[in-house]
Amino acid sequence: MDEWNEVGMGPVNGVGLSAEIDPEQLSDRLDGRVALITGAGSPDGIGYATARRLAALGADVAIVSTTRRIHERAGELKVTGFVADLTDEAEVGALADAIAEQLGPVDVLVNNAGLASKASPEVLRPVAQLSLDEWRAEIDRNLTTAFLVSRAFVTGMAERGWGRVVNLAATAGPVNALPTEGAYAAAKAGVVGLTRALAMELVADGVTVNAVAPGIIHTAASTFVELKQGLGSPAGRPGTPDEVAATIAFLCTPGASYITGQMLVVDGGNSVREAAFR
């Protein structure tokens, strides 16, 4: 094995620590890349905002949701839309085949599916009162979806030597918790565990895997209580889908090549504050 030189910049296993990196490898553009964003059916949601931003960075974007309204969103964004139940292994496989046929291999994956909506509200019930079916439903839509979709695409990324995966966690679970949100919190904490394990499995193949954990974000699914809580944050307001999307987009770029296995919290400082202002 080669030894270090006196200033610590000698080669390690024949690779110089001061070796230059091609500037194109640190670009903030995604031209020529295919990006898939799941859970992008709402025009006021994080998935939609992320798809719009990645398209602006030059990516060839595919979006997917469980209903045909995804085709309306695709038309608005001038991207390609697909309908699939991402808790169903067979449908995820069919989705992968369809994207490969229409757009080519996926380079960027944003696992946003799972966040609650008005049509599919979060189960709010103390753990002692949760049914097994309710527990499984929350785990499936928030964690199993990320597992199945990631599994369908990361092998191809690794074989091609480049890829980006960003999973949507939440502050609930990995950072804090509220009563009646046990299943959701467990699922989102699981998303972070999956993120870190997958990051270590793929780091040698040029694929990064990170998580973004939004706090209170003003979407169409936000309740009055949630928005009021956002006004009490250190930032004095809830976040916006575009602010979360900007964070996701950065992690998807070539320039984020040395960030993997991380969880980036987007909550206006809410999780940092020790106590409410008096």
Side-chain angles (χ1 to χ4, degrees):
M1 179 181 292
D2 294 290
E3 295 181 352
W4 295 73
N5 67 18
E6 292 182 0
V7 295
M9 293 299 291
V12 177
N13 293 333
V15 179
L17 294 182
S18 58
E20 292 186 3
I21 298 176
D22 185 345
E24 290 188 5
Q25 294 179 349
L26 301 180
S27 168
D28 61 356
R29 297 288 302 175
L30 289 169
D31 300 285
R33 303 291 187 184
V34 174
L36 169 63
I37 300 94
T38 69
S42 170
D44 302 308
I46 293 170
Y48 186 90
T50 300
R52 180 171 55 212
R53 188 169 287 268
L54 295 188
L57 292 178
D60 199 356
V61 173
I63 56 177
V64 59
S65 76
T66 58
T67 68
R68 294 188 61 81
R69 69 174 178 167
I70 196 68
H71 297 305
E72 296 177 28
R73 305 289 85 80
E76 294 160 2
L77 294 169
K78 296 180 173 57
V79 302
T80 307
F82 298 88
V83 178
D85 177 357
L86 301 181
T87 66
D88 186 304
E89 184 176 16
E91 290 201 28
V92 172
L95 171 68
D97 291 341
I99 294 174
E101 181 179 345
Q102 295 188 39
L103 300 177
V106 169
D107 304 295
V108 175
L109 170 62
V110 179
N111 281 309
N112 175 67
L115 297 179
S117 67
K118 288 181 178 178
S120 181
E122 181 185 346
V123 177
L124 297 175
R125 207 185 311 282
V127 170
Q129 298 174 19
L130 272 178
S131 72
L132 182 57
D133 285 344
E134 289 171 333
W135 168 268
R136 285 174 171 163
E138 284 293 301
I139 297 297
D140 279 351
R141 75 174 179 178
N142 287 287
L143 179 55
T144 303
T145 52
F147 159 68
L148 288 175
V149 179
S150 295
R151 189 182 64 174
F153 294 103
V154 295
T155 298
M157 294 180 189
E159 289 174 348
R160 294 187 299 276
W162 196 93
R164 298 285 183 268
V165 179
V166 180
N167 295 322
L168 266 291
T171 51
V175 178
N176 51 39
L178 291 170
T180 76
E181 289 191 348
Y184 178 81
K188 289 303 185 181
V191 167
V192 177
L194 174 64
T195 297
R196 290 172 175 160
L198 197 53
M200 294 301 94
E201 292 173 4
L202 298 171
V203 66
D205 298 311
V207 180
T208 66
V209 188
N210 293 288
V212 172
I216 300 171
I217 307 300
H218 189 177
T219 70
S222 299
T223 66
F224 175 77
V225 172
E226 289 171 337
L227 296 179
K228 186 176 180 181
Q229 290 172 341
L231 294 174
S233 72
R237 62 174 177 82
T240 69
D242 281 320
E243 289 173 317
V244 181
T247 305
I248 295 168
F250 164 68
L251 292 173
C252 290
T253 62
S257 55
Y258 204 59
I259 304 171
T260 197
Q262 303 304 309
M263 181 185 75
L264 187 52
V265 175
V266 184
D267 72 346
N270 209 39
S271 58
V272 177
R273 183 176 57 186
E274 184 174 353
F277 294 125
R278 293 182 173 83

